[in-house]
Amino acid sequence: MKPNTEDKKNEKGFLEEVRNKEQYMLNAREEEKRSEWRGFGVFGIIGWSVSAPTVFGAVLGMWLDKNYPQTFSWTLTLLIAGLFVGCAIAWQWVDKENKSMHEHKKNKDE
């Protein structure tokens, strides 16, 4: 009995799927292993990246309110500005980590 073209297509698709999964597993083995502690460290860095500018802005705002009072609150203004700066720093850090994690995929495609 001769295999028809549909069977050949199915077999070819199956072999391609197996080849892709094998390549994925080989890439995973070669990939740099990252420990759980590194993940906790990244969370800590992100937390400090947001909280430090926010607290600094609030403290500077309180000092400005005390020494140079205005019709608006320096504390609230600089607290919000510090929060935005901290979020921008955290976003940049997360983006950098994401790019480094997926660098091997880019190299594989090239």
Side-chain angles (χ1 to χ4, degrees):
M1 177 183 254
K2 284 187 169 181
N4 61 21
T5 57
E6 186 66 32
D7 289 339
K8 287 182 181 180
K9 283 184 182 179
N10 287 341
E11 184 178 332
K12 193 174 187 179
F14 175 73
L15 291 175
E16 185 66 29
E17 185 178 340
V18 169
R19 188 176 300 118
N20 289 339
K21 286 186 179 185
E22 179 185 22
Q23 188 61 45
Y24 178 77
M25 289 174 62
L26 290 174
N27 288 340
R29 286 182 184 166
E30 293 172 3
E31 187 175 313
E32 176 187 336
K33 301 295 182 201
R34 296 174 186 248
S35 72
E36 292 80 17
W37 292 109
R38 179 174 166 84
F40 287 129
V42 170
F43 280 127
I45 290 171
I46 291 170
W48 281 107
S49 297
V50 174
S51 62
T54 304
V55 170
F56 178 73
V59 170
L60 181 61
M62 288 177 5
W63 182 82
L64 286 172
D65 277 339
K66 182 179 175 184
N67 295 315
Y68 302 102
Q70 295 289 325
T71 58
F72 60 90
S73 171
W74 281 110
T75 304
L76 185 59
T77 303
L78 293 179
L79 181 121
I80 292 171
L83 181 63
F84 281 120
V85 168
C87 288
I89 292 169
W91 181 272
Q92 184 180 20
W93 182 261
V94 168
D95 188 48
K96 176 184 161 196
E97 285 294 312
N98 187 35
K99 285 179 183 176
S100 73
M101 281 178 20
H102 297 296
E103 187 176 281
H104 74 278
K105 289 182 182 178
K106 290 179 187 176
N107 292 338
K108 185 180 106 175
D109 293 341
E110 291 176 353

